[in-house]
Amino acid sequence: MMTSRLKYLANAVLDVFMPRLCPVCGVALMADERHLCRKCLAELPRTGLHSIDFNDMEQLFAGKVPVEHATGYFWYEKGSAYAAVIHDIKYHNCPDMGTFLAEKAGKELAMCGFYGDVDAVVPVPLHRHKLAQRGYNQSLFIARGLAKALGVPVLDAVKAVREHSTQTRKSAEERLRNTEGMYAANSKVMSRLPADAHLIIVDDVVTTGATLMACARALLSDYPGVKISLFTLSVARLAN
């Protein structure tokens, strides 16, 4: 109780000298607001995909890779105010916002039992060179929030074994080629899991699905008995 009060007071003092701004509307955040203001958080364009049978995201992977369940928290539209959320998480050193939002999403998904029995959450990895350049893996922070809400561990069950050029501005076919041979299963991690382990692969946004597909295929290639589900913080409306 005292810790929460002190944290509130500290935030209030800091906000006087270094006001935190909502990335969506630009309004200064109140001391008890985290990352987004109440209004923008309430108006977050949630997808509701978890409540739809064979939803758009699941259809995206149908016939390409076996997926138990797939969903994303909110819609991503390039140029929209909410696109700033993903950009800040990914490029502007705000990965904690990803943890915050993913935990919120995870609590909703846990309440409705969307994923069922899950053994672990697996972030899409970054190659070591990209990680050194960016300083953090945004998918790891998102995975931490989801895992906390679901009460399961985060495991680096997939590793990036090859560098790749950015996926931005590439067509769906080019993205698929760009991700070939990029990932591999981490045998040290996978050897400790049941043969039929249920894993949720996590990323920041899904557009063509090439990255998630490559990660799933890397796992299934060496461990065909595992069950794969998918979660992204956002979903591009052009995904299907």
Side-chain angles (χ1 to χ4, degrees), residues 179-192:
T179 55
E180 288 179 1
M182 187 189 308
Y183 304 108
N186 187 339
S187 59
K188 291 182 179 179
V189 172
M190 293 301 297
S191 63
R192 301 195 298 266

Side-chain angles (χ1 to χ4, degrees), residues 61-76:
F61 296 93
K64 301 171 185 175
V65 64
V67 168
E68 300 291 316
H69 304 286
T71 190
Y73 191 35
F74 65 93
W75 293 115
Y76 175 88

